[in-house]
Structures are given as structure tokens and as C-alpha cells.
Amino acid sequence: MDAANALQGHPAVESAGLSDRDREILEFERHWWKYAGAKEQAVRDNFDMSSTRYYQVLNALIDRDEALEADPLLVRRLRRLRSQRQRQRSARRLGFEL
């Protein structure tokens, strides 16, 4: 995201290569905490898909270079959180906590 777009309030997800749904998912992840109720219900209301399917789509999306270019801070944060959860699951399977 360049400084001009940041100052003007234009979202960085207006890049080529992402579908409208992909851009909507990134926007939702950026602001999901503003929705009343559970995130799962907001996913159903906004995207008409189960939370399991939503997370499958989201994980595939954050692995794409286009998503990283569109919103690097969000994508890196989501990747970091996913990686952290994977490490915690692996540690539990091996019998110790991180």
C-alpha cells in the first residue's frame, strides 16, 4: 500500500489478480471484530458459506502473492497466526506446550 492511498483512505485490496470475493474476504478479516455476534455467523451472513469452508478459502488466499501485494500487513499477520497455531498443535501432539 502506498502512502497516498493510506492517507486518502483507499483500501489496499484494490489490486489486480484478486476476485471480488477475495477482496471482500480480506476486507472482512481486517474488520470482522466490528460485526455483532460470532464470527461464524458473520461469515454465514456475508459469504453464504460454512466457517470450515471460509477458513479453507482464507488459507488458500493468504498463500497467494496477489493477496500479499494487496494487503501485506494483514496477510503477514494472518500467516504468522496460522503458523503459530500449527506450532502449538504440533507441540501438543509431541506432549509439550509452547
Side-chain angles (χ1 to χ4, degrees):
M1 175 165 84
D2 64 351
N5 282 342
L7 291 175
Q8 295 175 1
H10 295 158
V13 293
E14 294 176 1
S15 69
L18 294 178
S19 70
D20 289 339
R21 183 185 73 165
D22 293 341
R23 286 190 295 275
E24 289 171 7
I25 288 174
L26 289 177
E27 185 68 25
F28 177 78
E29 277 300 311
R30 190 178 310 109
H31 299 291
W32 74 264
W33 51 271
K34 292 181 181 179
Y35 293 93
K39 184 176 182 180
E40 289 78 18
Q41 185 61 45
V43 165
R44 265 185 243 107
D45 294 343
N46 289 307
F47 301 108
D48 195 33
M49 64 175 79
S50 70
S51 58
T52 301
R53 181 64 185 145
Y54 172 79
Y55 286 112
Q56 290 171 342
V57 170
L58 177 63
N59 279 315
L61 176 60
I62 65 174
D63 286 334
R64 294 178 51 197
D65 290 335
E66 295 92 348
L68 183 62
E69 291 172 14
D71 197 337
L73 292 176
L74 175 67
V75 171
R76 285 188 187 121
R77 179 175 59 87
L78 293 172
R79 286 178 178 179
R80 186 176 59 250
L81 290 171
R82 178 181 63 184
S83 183
Q84 186 178 31
R85 285 190 302 270
Q86 288 172 338
R87 282 193 306 273
Q88 288 172 344
R89 278 193 303 269
S90 295
R92 278 195 304 269
R93 288 184 187 132
L94 295 173
F96 59 92
E97 291 290 326
L98 291 179

